């Protein structure tokens, strides 16, 4: 518990164990403000606009692997309540969170710091994190935090809405790729996991990271980023910032969608930089395949002159490899690639 960044960050200097090597530290690339990441309006309902939205999503998913959505149908009140209850969780006194703290890899609902493997970290990450499954709700909710008192009620409502939004976006993606409607609807997106990140103010943001460069192991990720900057996406070798946009969700393509689309969509690498003035709280909802789900390039996407870029694998095989490779995005798909 005393390892949590939030329990000691007021020390004035950054400990050596949080200092990244010069090649991977952000240096002065902390705040490359940019509006390059497309913002897509989901509020347009008519058939003509739907085609346009599908095109916009496909283009953004191919070029960046990232986009933001507005007019997405999740109420502003629920978004605010959710963000507030997550912030309140991290502000609770230590004794109210102690039971949830765990360095055990497989504990389903846990509060931890840095990565899932603190002792194995080369460099520690400047973040604390709360992670738990959200589906099926009736089972999962019993292991969620009991404080703040409204946590379970609000996060239950939120996880349902986030999953609905994710499924809607997956339907638009399947339409854009030319897959059957509902292609992603079953086992491929059955597991829903919440990962709530808390990044306290940092004494030297140029030397450390909140999350190092990675691509999400998910199918699709829906991120509530709040109003504090910190997320950067790697595009053409450059880090571009994702502007916090009120009431928007940040959506990104995970490794599994990269596989199913046979590399038509891009699982984009991203990282989180810290800042020295305000705490930043974000909440990712990962839509993942179930553990035994077979993931493979969609057969209907393989043209006659093309071969599949990956072999079929079980999602749990991928996860095992992802964790073993420490989240290294180049290596995590390597054992599943077909060369030919
Ligand atoms: C993640 C992630 C981004 C952020 O949790 O995988 O990339 O801004 N989070 O917290
Ligand atoms: Ni991520």
């Amino acid at each position: 518990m005393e390892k949590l960044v939030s329990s000691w960050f007021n020390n004035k200097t950054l400990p050596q164990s949080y200092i990244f090597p010069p090649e991977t530290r952000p240096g002065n690339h902390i705040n490359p403000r940019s509006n390059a990441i497309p913002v897509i309006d989901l509020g347009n309902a008519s058939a003509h606009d739907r085609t346009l939205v599908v095109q916009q999503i496909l283009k953004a998913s191919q070029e960046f692997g990232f986009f933001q959505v507005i007019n997405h149908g999740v109420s502003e009140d629920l978004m605010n309540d959710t963000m507030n209850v997550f912030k309140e969780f991290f502000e609770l006194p230590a004794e109210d969170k102690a039971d949830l703290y765990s360095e055990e890899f497989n504990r389903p609902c846990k509060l931890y710091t840095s990565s899932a493997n603190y002792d194995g970290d080369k460099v520690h990450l400047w973040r604390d994190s709360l992670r738990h499954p959200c589906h099926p709700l009736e089972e999962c909710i019993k292991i969620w935090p009991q404080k703040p008192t409204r946590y379970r009620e609000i996060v239950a409502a939120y996880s349902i809405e986030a999953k609905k939004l994710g499924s809607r976006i997956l339907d638009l993606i399947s339409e854009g790729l030319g897959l059957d409607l509902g292609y992603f609807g079953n086992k491929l997106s059955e597991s829903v996991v919440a990962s709530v990140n808390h990044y306290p103010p940092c004494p030297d943001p140029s030397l450390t990271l909140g999350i190092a460069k990675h691509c999400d192991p998910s199918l699709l990720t829906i991120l509530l980023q709040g109003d504090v900057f910190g997320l950067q996406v790697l595009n053409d070798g450059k880090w571009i910032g994702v502007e916090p946009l009120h009431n928007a969700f940040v959506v990104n393509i995970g490794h599994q969608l990269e596989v199913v689309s046979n590399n038509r969509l891009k699982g984009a690498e991203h990282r989180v930089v810290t800042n020295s003035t305000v705490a930043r709280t974000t909440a990712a909802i990962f839509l993942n395949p179930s553990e035994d789900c077979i993931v493979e390039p969609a057969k209907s996407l393989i043209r006659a002159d093309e071969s599949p870029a990956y072999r079929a694998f079980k999602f749990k095989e991928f996860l095992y490899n992802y964790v073993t490779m420490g989240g290294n995005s180049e290596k995590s798909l390597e054992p599943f690639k077909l060369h030919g």
Side-chain angles (χ1 to χ4, degrees):
M1 193 66 185
E2 60 287 351
K3 286 181 188 156
L4 291 178
V5 183
S6 43
S7 57
W8 55 263
F9 74 97
N10 272 328
N11 294 348
K12 285 286 168 259
T13 56
L14 186 71
Q16 191 67 37
S17 60
Y18 285 79
I19 300 182
F20 275 72
E23 327 71 89
T24 47
R25 66 176 67 148
N28 55 9
H29 299 284
I30 290 290
N31 207 352
R33 300 213 90 90
S34 161
N35 45 21
I37 300 298
V39 177
I40 300 175
D41 188 340
L42 295 185
N44 298 323
S46 76
H48 168 259
D49 290 338
R50 183 177 165 97
T51 311
L52 188 69
V53 169
V54 167
Q55 281 168 1
Q56 287 172 335
I57 289 182
L58 254 267
K59 186 157 187 278
S61 305
Q62 285 159 348
E63 276 178 28
F64 298 99
F66 261 88
F67 52 93
Q68 302 207 57
V69 290
I70 54 171
N71 294 320
H72 40 63
V74 182
S75 86
E76 187 171 346
D77 283 352
L78 183 57
M79 291 173 82
N80 290 338
D81 284 352
T82 305
M83 183 48 91
N84 289 335
V85 85
F86 286 146
K87 285 183 182 165
E88 284 160 26
F89 172 82
F90 284 100
E91 282 159 11
L92 288 172
E95 62 266 28
D96 287 336
K97 293 180 288 202
D99 283 353
L100 291 166
Y101 183 81
S102 176
E103 292 178 32
E104 214 183 298
F105 187 78
N106 282 325
R107 178 137 160 212
C109 177
K110 66 175 178 180
L111 170 64
Y112 63 100
T113 189
S114 185
S115 74
N117 181 11
Y118 184 92
D119 288 332
D121 284 347
K122 282 201 203 85
V123 184
H124 295 316
L125 305 174
W126 190 266
R127 69 135 179 205
D128 298 331
S129 182
L130 170 69
R131 172 181 280 254
H132 59 65
C134 302
H135 184 82
L137 187 57
E138 316 74 59
E139 268 170 47
C140 299
I141 198 166
K142 296 180 211 151
I143 59 168
W144 290 4
Q146 285 178 286
K147 286 188 184 171
T149 46
R150 293 189 66 208
Y151 187 96
R152 292 183 176 186
E153 176 197 336
I154 291 171
V155 178
Y158 179 73
S159 64
I160 291 168
E161 287 300 307
K163 159 104 171 132
K164 246 195 252 168
L165 173 61
S167 301
R168 197 172 142 212
I169 293 170
L170 285 168
D171 278 345
L172 294 165
I173 290 177
S174 65
E175 190 172 326
L177 287 173
L179 294 169
D180 295 340
L181 192 69
Y183 190 90
F184 298 107
N186 301 320
K187 296 250 173 281
L188 274 170
S189 61
E190 189 174 271
S191 161
V192 182
V193 177
S195 175
V196 189
N197 300 296
H198 180 72
Y199 313 93
C202 174
D204 194 341
S206 71
L207 299 179
T208 194
L209 288 166
I211 306 185
K213 181 174 93 168
H214 70 288
C215 171
D216 294 348
S218 62
L219 182 72
L220 190 77
T221 304
I222 310 278
L223 180 82
L224 182 58
Q225 117 155 295
D227 49 13
V228 182
F229 174 80
L231 175 60
Q232 298 182 330
V233 176
L234 192 60
N235 190 255
D236 278 341
K238 284 206 203 77
W239 289 105
I240 46 182
V242 182
E243 279 296 300
L245 201 61
H246 197 59
N247 286 331
F249 285 102
V250 178
V251 180
N252 65 286
I253 305 297
H255 275 313
Q256 310 314 307
L257 204 39
E258 200 177 340
V259 171
V260 175
S261 72
N262 206 37
N263 290 334
R264 285 190 179 51
L265 308 184
K266 182 162 151 183
E269 293 180 303
H270 53 287
R271 69 178 185 185
V272 175
V273 296
T274 62
N275 77 79
S276 57
T277 51
V278 283
R280 176 168 184 264
T281 303
T282 67
I285 294 281
F286 298 118
L287 299 191
N288 289 340
S290 58
E291 286 208 328
D292 287 314
C293 176
I294 308 275
V295 182
E296 64 184 334
K299 299 210 168 58
S300 62
L301 290 186
I302 315 289
R303 291 189 307 258
D305 60 339
E306 224 184 10
S307 49
Y310 305 92
R311 68 168 173 88
F313 55 85
K314 278 192 180 166
F315 182 57
K316 67 178 167 199
E317 244 186 289
F318 169 85
L319 273 187
Y320 177 81
N321 186 59
Y322 185 82
V323 171
T324 318
M325 294 302 164
N328 179 320
S329 38
E330 282 110 57
K331 290 194 184 146
S332 47
L333 280 173
E334 204 52 49
F336 311 108
K337 279 189 183 145
L338 295 173
H339 304 274

